[in-house]
Amino acid sequence: MKHPNFIIYIFVLGLFSCSSTFESGEAYYQSGNYEKAVSSLNKTLFFNITDLKALHLRARAYEELGDYESSAKDYKTIIRLKPTYAQAHAGLGSLAFKLKDYKTAEKHLLIASYHDSEDFEILFLLGRAMIVNENYKSAEEFLELAKELRPKEPMVYYYQGIARGKLGDPAGTAGAFNMYVTLEPESLQGLYNRGFAYMTIGMREWAIEDFDKVLEKNPKHYEAMARRGVCLTKKNPNKACSDLNLAAKNGSKYALENLAKYCQ
């Protein structure tokens, strides 16, 4: 029979080894060496198969390696051990989002947000999934919560602008894209979307300014050209028709639809 002190020694050695390999795995993960992170975390989990932190970090490492099946398996193990572990639900949601299974992504992210309503990444990704699933009202609400956590994050305003646009709220859309452009002044997509929103609520001068900025940086942005043309129909009919003709020739359906109306 082994001496009790020997058994205690082995137990303590196991605990020390577990802690050491986890720290190594964490360091490898932070440095981007995901394969070595998995190897170290495997050793941690050999001594303690229910270590939630190690399972979570290994799941994230697998995800970075593109091994979504192994990642999902670890996340599901965590949930079996602790159903309220928000980050495991979020992990499954993130995997589903990457695989373009947006219904499943929304389901898992919604559960994750229930268990952790203060996690920006969960709320932000949930809002994006809801937009794809055409749940625009809920998307806008969750993005609003995300915005409260990170008011300086440009992409929150970008997706909130999309959600509001789909909800038929042009003023709200313009407001969201205005904040986005304030934070990301070089974004052509932001300028174009803000111009489109301004145009919708009748603020044509401001819309023209945005379309001008887009076309200065990308003269072949024919959708911006077409919409600028429509905005110019009263102020400068000749320029309007020039814009509409050129945009129509280059494939803009919007320009083609409005050419006969304004340029007979």
Side-chain angles (χ1 to χ4, degrees), residues 174-192:
F177 280 117
N178 185 50
M179 280 300 301
Y180 174 69
V181 171
T182 299
L183 295 166
E184 291 285 346
E186 299 303 312
S187 170
L188 295 189
Q189 193 63 31
L191 285 166
Y192 171 74

Side-chain angles (χ1 to χ4, degrees), residues 13-177:
L13 183 64
L15 289 177
F16 176 77
S17 177
C18 180
S19 174
S20 176
T21 55
F22 177 80
E23 289 173 0
S24 295
E26 191 171 34
Y28 283 130
Y29 180 88
Q30 294 298 335
S31 67
N33 196 333
Y34 304 116
E35 289 182 354
K36 285 191 175 181
V38 168
S39 179
S40 290
L41 293 164
N42 284 343
K43 295 173 185 176
T44 303
L45 290 161
F46 176 80
F47 288 103
N48 183 4
I49 61 173
T50 61
D51 186 325
L52 298 183
K53 288 175 65 177
L55 282 166
H56 183 199
L57 193 58
R58 188 174 70 174
R60 290 167 62 189
Y62 277 135
E63 185 174 351
E64 293 291 345
L65 289 168
D67 186 350
Y68 294 167
E69 185 177 348
S70 295
S71 180
K73 184 178 178 181
D74 277 350
Y75 284 133
K76 289 174 182 177
T77 299
I78 294 170
I79 292 168
R80 282 198 301 272
L81 294 168
K82 187 177 180 181
T84 59
Y85 199 108
Q87 292 301 325
H89 290 288
L92 289 174
S94 174
L95 291 175
F97 193 94
K98 289 176 179 178
L99 293 168
K100 299 184 179 180
D101 182 358
Y102 300 111
K103 294 290 185 183
T104 299
E106 181 178 332
K107 179 186 73 174
H108 285 297
L109 290 164
L110 196 57
I111 296 170
S113 72
Y114 176 78
H115 293 302
D116 186 354
S117 61
E118 298 296 318
D119 187 297
F120 170 84
E121 299 296 342
I122 291 173
L123 299 173
F124 178 61
L125 192 57
L126 175 57
R128 290 181 60 194
M130 285 176 163
I131 287 174
V132 179
N133 293 331
E134 301 183 358
N135 296 330
Y136 303 121
K137 188 173 187 303
S138 294
E140 203 280 334
E141 291 169 355
F142 278 102
L143 289 167
E144 184 68 23
L145 293 173
K147 184 176 74 178
E148 291 173 6
L149 294 171
R150 290 192 196 172
K152 297 294 186 180
E153 172 54 52
M155 293 308 295
V156 175
Y157 297 98
Y158 181 85
Y159 286 108
Q160 199 168 41
I162 291 174
R164 289 176 178 177
K166 296 293 186 179
L167 287 168
D169 177 10
T173 302
F177 280 117

